[in-house]
Amino acid sequence: MEGSSGSNSYPVQQPQARPDAPSYSGGLSAEGQLLQQLYQMQQEVSMLRGLLEEQEHRLKKLEQDQLDRYQDIDRRLSTLSAGSSAPSGVNGSAPPTGLQPIEPAVPAAPVQGNSDQAAAPDPEREKLMYEAAFEQVRLRDFEKAEMAFSAFLRRFPQSEYAGNAQYWLGEVHLAQSDLDSAGQAFARVLSEYPGHRKEADALYKLADVERRLGNIDRATQLYQEVVSKHPNASAAQLARRDLNAL
C-alpha cells in the first residue's frame, strides 16, 4: 500500500475460504455461535465509541461557538460605548446610539430542480441536514440514515461535515452487513478527506472490513498502518488488539 491511496482498492477481491473460519450458512457450532456473538458485540461497542466521540466533538464546537458569540457581543458593546461618548460628526449628524440587533441565520431558499444537485455553501442548512442524518443513526434506523447521508454528500460534497458524513455512511453500511459498500465508504474518507479527524477510525474500519471478507494479509497491512500513522489514537489500540488476535 502506498500511503492512504492504497486504501482505495475497491471493489475488493472475493475472499478465499479459510478452513478455520466459522460458517454462517446455518448449523453453527456452539463455538461458532459464540464467535459470531463476539463479532456483533465488538461492532456495537465500536459504533457506540464513534457516537460518543461525535458527541464530544459537537460539544466542543458548541462551546467554541458560544465563546465566539460572547466575544462578538463584547466587541459590539465596546463599539457602542465608544460611539456614545464621541462628538457629533462633521455635518452635525448625531453619533450612533445603538447597534443592529443580532439576528439568527436564516436558511437559504431551497434549490430549484434536482434535489441532489450540489448546492452553494450554506453552513446553517448543512448543519441541520447533517444532524438530521446523524439522528437516524442514534435511532438505529440505518435505512433512513443511509439515504440521508448519501443525499447530504451529493448536495454538500465540500461541507465541513462531509468527511464525518462519509465516515458514518460507512458505519451504516457496516451495520447493514454490506461489507463492500462499507469498504468503499471508508476508503473514500481516506482518499477525499486526507488528514480528517476520522482518518484513523476510517482506516481501522477498512481493515476490519478486509478481515471480515477473509483478506487477512490486507487487513494486517491496514492495521499496521493505523498503528504507524496514528499511534496515539484509540483506533490504534483496537488495531494492536486485532493484530495480536490474527
Side-chain angles (χ1 to χ4, degrees):
M1 176 173 183
E2 298 178 3
S4 296
S5 61
S7 302
N8 306 324
S9 58
Y10 286 83
V12 296
Q13 298 178 350
Q14 292 296 325
Q16 300 296 321
R18 292 185 297 150
D20 59 335
S23 171
Y24 291 89
S25 59
L28 286 175
S29 65
E31 181 181 356
Q33 291 177 355
L34 288 174
L35 188 58
Q36 184 179 18
Q37 292 174 2
L38 177 60
Y39 285 154
Q40 291 173 346
M41 291 176 63
Q42 287 177 335
Q43 178 59 31
E44 290 284 334
V45 170
S46 179
M47 179 167 285
L48 288 172
R49 179 179 63 83
L51 287 169
L52 178 60
E53 290 180 350
E54 183 79 11
Q55 294 290 358
E56 290 176 347
H57 175 71
R58 292 173 66 188
L59 179 59
K60 290 180 180 178
K61 191 174 187 305
L62 285 173
E63 291 174 347
Q64 184 60 49
D65 289 345
Q66 189 68 22
L67 177 60
D68 291 343
R69 289 193 188 98
Y70 285 144
Q71 291 175 338
D72 182 63
I73 291 172
D74 183 64
R75 285 193 297 268
R76 286 170 177 260
L77 290 174
S78 297
T79 302
L80 175 61
S81 176
S84 62
S85 60
S88 298
V90 175
N91 296 326
S93 58
T97 59
L99 298 174
Q100 293 296 325
I102 303 174
E103 298 181 355
V106 178
V111 176
Q112 299 297 322
N114 186 357
S115 60
D116 289 340
Q117 181 182 357
D122 185 348
E124 186 68 19
R125 182 178 292 274
E126 293 167 21
K127 178 181 178 182
L128 291 174
M129 192 171 178
Y130 173 79
E131 290 181 345
F134 190 71
E135 179 64 20
Q136 300 307 313
V137 177
R138 285 197 291 263
L139 295 174
R140 305 185 67 79
D141 191 336
F142 299 126
E143 184 176 352
K144 287 184 180 179
E146 177 189 352
M147 291 188 293
F149 281 126
S150 296
F152 178 90
L153 289 166
R154 288 192 297 268
R155 192 168 178 81
F156 301 110
Q158 304 301 322
S159 169
E160 63 175 303
Y161 302 102
N164 278 34
Q166 186 66 58
Y167 172 82
W168 283 105
L169 182 60
E171 286 278 23
V172 167
H173 286 311
L174 204 56
Q176 295 173 312
S177 299
D178 185 351
L179 296 182
D180 282 346
S181 294
Q184 292 170 20
F186 292 131
R188 290 187 69 177
V189 175
L190 304 175
S191 64
E192 297 184 15
Y193 308 97
H196 193 273
R197 69 183 192 88
K198 281 292 188 182
E199 183 179 79
D201 289 330
L203 191 57
Y204 170 77
K205 288 293 185 176
L206 187 57
D208 185 55
V209 168
E210 295 284 9
R211 177 187 62 78
R212 294 184 187 207
L213 288 169
N215 302 324
I216 303 303
D217 290 343
R218 176 65 172 156
T220 299
Q221 180 185 10
L222 292 170
Y223 283 137
Q224 291 172 341
E225 188 174 347
V226 177
V227 174
S228 63
K229 287 188 173 181
H230 308 278
N232 299 320
S234 57
Q237 299 178 10
L238 298 175
R240 294 186 187 98
R241 179 204 63 187
D242 291 348
L243 277 171
N244 292 332
L246 290 178

